[in-house]
Amino acid sequence: MIVAGKRPAPSRRGGSSRRKKRAKASLRTRAGNALRNLPGNRYGTACVVLVLILVVAGLKLIYVQAFQAEALSARAERQRATVIDIPAQRGSIVDRNGTELAFSVKTYTLQVNLRQMRKTWAQVAKQTKNEQNFQTRVAEIAEYMAAMLPDKTTEADLLKRFNKPAPFTFLVDNVEPSVAEQITSRYPEIAAEERALREYPGGTLASNVVGYANWRMDDPDVAKHNLHGLIGLESARDNDLAGKPGRRLVDTGEGDNVVIPGTERDIQPAVPGSDLELTLDSDLQYDLQRRLSEYVKETNAKGGSAVILDAKTGEVYALANDKTFDPNNLSEASEAELNNRAVTTPYEPGSVNKVITAAAAIEHGITTPKSVHQVPGQIQIADRTVRDAWPHGTQGFTTTGIFAKSSNVGTLMLAQKVGEERWLDIAKKFGLGQRTGIGLPGESPGRVPPRNQWSGSTFGNLPIGQGLSMTVVQMAGMYQAIANGGVRVEPRIVRATVKPDGTRVPEPAPGKTRVVSKRTADTVLRMLRATTQEGEGQNSGTAPTAALAGYQISGKTGTAQQINPATGAYSQSKYNITFAGILPADNPRFVVGIMLDAPDTTLPQGHSAAPLFHDIASYLAQKYEIPLSKRKAPVVPLVVD
């Protein structure tokens, strides 16, 4: 029964249902949250990230393989490969007969990586409890190497080098290949670097011409480390001799420069240098050097130079200075010995220069060989009085006699008739004041004062060989022109280069200058025979001691006062003594030029180089089997009453 005004009491069954619904809703909410936090969901995210990484890596791989593969491969190759420079074989220098004056031999320089050696033997010391270590090893190596190379190093020097506070050191230079192989095989720590050594089998023979070359490492480009010339032809023709170095690729161990056997391969082979074939005859060169040196000592001269030219071609058969050096022992050479004075040091020549006036006077028809000139004992040139070397009154000299007896006064009389401009023109054609082009470094052109600097007395000096200067090669070149029918040929000392394949390439043809006509040259050549004649009374020339039995000899003596450096004036006691000679005069084959620096003129032979010419000419005639002259040179009048 229901009572009015009261709510009915809830049913116990209905309340329970609503609680269940709320519980289910709450459970679904917690389940959803729990589901979202399950581990499997993190795996999915990780997979996504991983996929993205793989995609990026794949793209990078494609880029590397497509665009960077070659560069990275080369980089990897460089990390394990080493380029070794291969020195080029330097060409030899030979004389005209093929005799070697300079050649190269392969050598090795022994060296050691001290850093790596210390590291290796520190590890050995730990394993052997210090019974073997770096110091015991270097002591053993030093003892062995010193015994193998007794002339190149000592045990003490090697120990000093091994104990340098440095990562690397050179040990010994110029080791023969077989010895280097023994040392490096026995002691792998020691490395051998290929080099070369220049050999000069003749020692001092032609050393001023040939020069000197040694191993040079001063260029920052390692590929250019090789034998290079310092002086002489070794320097002047270095590009021909040096060749072109090559390169070899090798694999090396990690962290060191030890070559892995069997990995060597050539990248670029070395190209050997060319040989130089000279005009010199080594036998004649030796003889000239010996005779010149002995004569300089005999006359107490300060020095001397000499040259022998082919009368027709201008080729230099011999070129010598009394002072020279041994390129095998350069450390003992003085500056004077290294200087090739025959081409670098000009001097005032004296009367040998009178050949210019003789040629000019004949060329311009001013005189003939037999013409007689009244020559006084002295002549006034502006403010200067010039005298002959011997006192005399006015005498009749033939033109031949003026030059055969070397009259200063007579020469100046003829020079005045020639005139300054014509005289200077022929002097230049003779090559005065110009380098000869011989091809040797340091050549001097000598000096002829410029025309606009001449004073009134200048032309009182030049025709008699004072007030100008020349080298002994220039002096001989003037007489070569007379011996060659009036044509001066530039002297040369290199005949050809010989390529590595044996191809011989001659040097360019030398320049030629027509100085005077053939008729004039032949006339002067005959006139100068009187210089060596021995006649009666005053009819002897200035150099009868230059005469050679069986041969006609033309020549000219010279005596020039030297400048006193203290006063700037000409010395009264120091002279340049010169001689230029032609052998034989009737069919010229050789021209010889000689200069002596300040010999003792109080000695019997100190006032002339003619005796030295005689000895040189005698050797030339024998060595080259020069035919005897068909007839003796006539004795001609020099001074007439």
Side-chain angles (χ1 to χ4, degrees), residues 350-359 388 402-403 405-409 411 423 462-465 478-479 556-557:
S351 295
V352 290
N353 201 53
K354 291 174 181 175
V355 70
I356 298 174
T357 301
D388 278 338
I402 285 175
F403 299 104
K405 296 193 74 67
S406 203
S407 169
N408 293 333
V409 177
T411 299
W423 186 94
L462 301 184
I464 60 175
M478 293 196 299
Y479 286 80
K556 186 71 193 75
T557 55

Side-chain angles (χ1 to χ4, degrees), residues 52 70 91-92 112 299 315 366 378 382 400 443 467 474 489 516 613:
L52 291 174
E70 185 175 349
S92 299
V112 62
T299 59
E315 289 186 340
I366 291 168
Q378 63 184 46
T400 297
E443 184 185 11
Q474 287 176 305
V489 182
V516 292
F613 170 83

Side-chain angles (χ1 to χ4, degrees), residues 105-173:
V105 295
K106 182 189 291 188
T107 66
Y108 286 90
T109 290
L110 301 182
Q111 58 197 41
V112 62
N113 185 330
L114 291 173
R115 176 185 294 146
Q116 184 63 36
M117 186 177 177
R118 292 189 188 103
K119 179 180 178 182
T120 299
W121 285 92
Q123 296 173 350
V124 172
K126 290 180 181 179
Q127 296 171 359
T128 63
K129 296 182 180 180
N130 217 35
E131 290 181 3
Q132 294 178 303
N133 54 39
F134 176 78
Q135 290 301 331
T136 60
R137 184 66 168 180
V138 299
E140 178 185 343
I141 296 175
E143 181 181 7
Y144 181 79
M145 287 180 61
M148 293 290 290
L149 303 165
D151 58 336
K152 296 184 181 299
T153 189
T154 64
E155 190 173 345
D157 181 68
L158 289 169
L159 289 173
K160 182 179 179 180
R161 292 174 182 270
F162 273 116
N163 285 285
K164 287 171 58 175
F168 169 89
T169 188
F170 292 108
L171 296 172
V172 189
D173 292 327

Side-chain angles (χ1 to χ4, degrees), residues 168-338:
F168 169 89
T169 188
F170 292 108
L171 296 172
V172 189
D173 292 327
N174 300 326
V175 178
E176 293 180 9
S178 60
V179 177
E181 171 65 23
Q182 292 182 59
I183 293 173
T184 55
S185 296
R186 185 182 181 103
Y187 300 104
E189 304 97 317
I190 308 303
E193 179 179 316
E194 182 180 336
R195 293 192 182 176
L197 177 67
R198 201 65 165 165
E199 294 279 3
Y200 300 92
T204 60
L205 181 66
S207 60
N208 289 122
V209 172
V210 173
Y212 173 76
N214 67 351
W215 187 270
R216 303 283 293 281
M217 300 177 64
D218 48 357
D219 197 297
D221 184 356
V222 177
K224 295 181 180 179
H225 293 180
N226 207 334
L227 287 170
H228 290 290
L230 291 176
I231 54 177
L233 288 174
E234 291 275 33
S235 173
R237 302 299 291 264
D238 191 62
N239 289 339
D240 292 316
L241 291 162
K244 186 177 180 180
R247 293 191 170 189
R248 179 184 297 123
L249 190 66
V250 299
D251 291 341
T252 56
E254 183 179 356
D256 58 40
N257 291 322
V258 178
V259 177
I260 298 174
T263 65
E264 297 185 0
R265 59 268 195 197
D266 285 341
I267 300 177
Q268 178 182 335
V271 179
S274 298
D275 294 341
L276 284 188
E277 179 187 312
L278 306 188
T279 61
L280 298 181
D281 182 318
S282 58
D283 290 339
L284 182 58
Q285 177 72 29
Y286 174 82
D287 186 78
L288 182 64
Q289 286 185 210
R290 180 181 61 83
R291 293 184 191 276
L292 175 65
S293 180
E294 290 176 354
Y295 202 78
V296 165
K297 292 177 182 177
E298 185 179 338
T299 59
N300 287 336
K302 289 173 57 180
S305 299
V307 63
I308 301 174
L309 302 180
D310 185 292
K312 304 300 182 184
T313 67
E315 289 186 340
V316 180
Y317 271 63
L319 179 69
N321 302 285
D322 71 297
K323 296 179 179 64
T324 187
F325 68 97
D326 184 352
N328 296 308
N329 192 13
L330 191 71
S331 61
E332 294 187 4
S334 67
E335 185 174 346
E337 291 170 336
L338 294 174

Side-chain angles (χ1 to χ4, degrees), residues 348-403:
E348 295 196 11
S351 295
V352 290
N353 201 53
K354 291 174 181 175
V355 70
I356 298 174
T357 301
I362 298 296
E363 180 79 355
H364 293 292
I366 291 168
T367 189
T368 66
K370 296 180 180 180
S371 299
V372 178
H373 309 269
Q374 296 302 312
V375 180
Q378 63 184 46
I379 188 172
Q380 193 72 26
I381 306 292
D383 60 348
R384 183 167 180 259
T385 301
V386 180
R387 297 178 175 83
D388 278 338
W390 70 100
H392 65 85
T394 300
Q395 290 182 295
F397 282 75
T398 63
T399 302
T400 297
I402 285 175
F403 299 104

